Amino acid sequence: MLFSIVSHEYPPRMSEIFDVIIWLSYTLFVMVIAPIVPSSTAQKGILLILVLSVATVVLAILQSLNIPIASEVIAPLYATERHMQDLTRRPTATTINPNIYAQFLALPLLVSFSLTLASGRPEASAWLRRRAAFFFTSFIFTAIGVLATYSRTGLLINILGALMVIALILLTGVGSVNWRKRIVAVSSVSFLVAFVAFLSIGEGIGRFSELTNPMEARSLQVRFDKWEQILPIISESPIIGYGPSKLELNSIPVSIIDSGTLAWWFHYGLLGVVSFLGLMIVIFVLGTQTLTNTRILDKSPVGWSAGVAVTGWTFGSLALWPIKPLPQSRRVFTLYLILVVFVIAIIRQEGDDKGSDST
């Protein structure tokens, strides 16, 4: 991003410099905080995220019921005017729009889902078993929150992320055979319940109908048209792009590219695309190593669940990056990096054993 700013003729605007500062802050946050956070603090932080996420779902439900304090007092502090008009059908909780809220909930949903699975292990501690009902309730609440937003992006991220997590658990052989059989059973029931809920949400189902035949979806056709216009323009400066400024977009027929990959390629060139992909792949590998580490599953199931969430969310986001401008919200990405910090801290302190199968 910094290279892109200094390599183009026009002077950078404050918003573009601010983006560089934000990304440098992300880097420093992970580098400085991850090595000093105690494992116990990291685990408490993960549980706090679950509690606060459930609280936001309660707020979203109150907004959908048009309770004044939720819809008239709290919602205007966050939601855009456009989404305020549709608040009772697509609540935003404490975010700017329902799509961002669904992406936000994808992280705690995967955490609570994996903790529910972990609490069913024969080797699970008494502490974990006593809280199994809370973890399952958190999973149900966050799933309801995602469905209530009618967000196609949020739904796909959760489905793709959960499928990747389940596949990794089953294929890598982490945990006992009986526990993995339970995972298949619990996952099947969960998807069945979600499908029934999906069919019962009424008028919002029309937003999801395009997912059954995506190649004929109107929204995807609009994207295809934009991509046909933007690709020849990108090909004229494929390596360094056109810079972070949106001023360049004003001179071409496409004001919104509607593709995370093409947007980064247009602004930052292949250098920017490779850099961001490299970052996400490294984080995905980190999460995968945590998910498949039996020692961490035994000693810190809460930390293991954060690794599950990081793995699932990263996979879902990367899978949708070509057709969606992800990451779309600094708040969502910050929560994601907080979990990454917690995972690093727990790996260092709970999984660092030369005699184990840790990474």
Side-chain angles (χ1 to χ4, degrees), residues 171-198:
L171 294 176
T172 57
V174 61
S176 65
V177 174
N178 288 335
W179 180 62
R180 279 178 272 146
K181 289 180 179 178
R182 292 181 189 178
I183 287 177
V184 174
V186 172
S187 302
S188 301
V189 171
S190 298
F191 279 108
L192 178 62
V193 171
F195 181 69
V196 172
F198 166 75

Side-chain angles (χ1 to χ4, degrees), residues 34-90:
I36 64 175
V37 173
S39 175
S40 59
T41 301
Q43 294 180 64
K44 290 176 182 177
I46 295 165
L47 295 176
L48 179 61
I49 288 172
L50 283 189
V51 173
L52 294 177
S53 299
V54 171
T56 67
V57 175
V58 172
L59 176 61
I61 293 173
L62 294 177
Q63 289 175 353
S64 64
L65 296 174
N66 202 23
I67 303 300
I69 190 171
S71 59
E72 298 175 12
V73 178
I74 298 178
L77 300 175
Y78 299 97
T80 62
E81 184 176 346
R82 169 192 168 193
H83 291 100
M84 281 291 296
Q85 299 171 358
D86 200 25
L87 195 65
T88 56
R89 194 173 70 90
R90 300 188 67 199

Side-chain angles (χ1 to χ4, degrees), residues 196-212:
V196 172
F198 166 75
L199 292 177
S200 64
I201 55 180
E203 57 182 300
I205 198 170
R207 285 187 52 80
F208 295 124
S209 61
E210 291 183 347
L211 297 177
T212 60

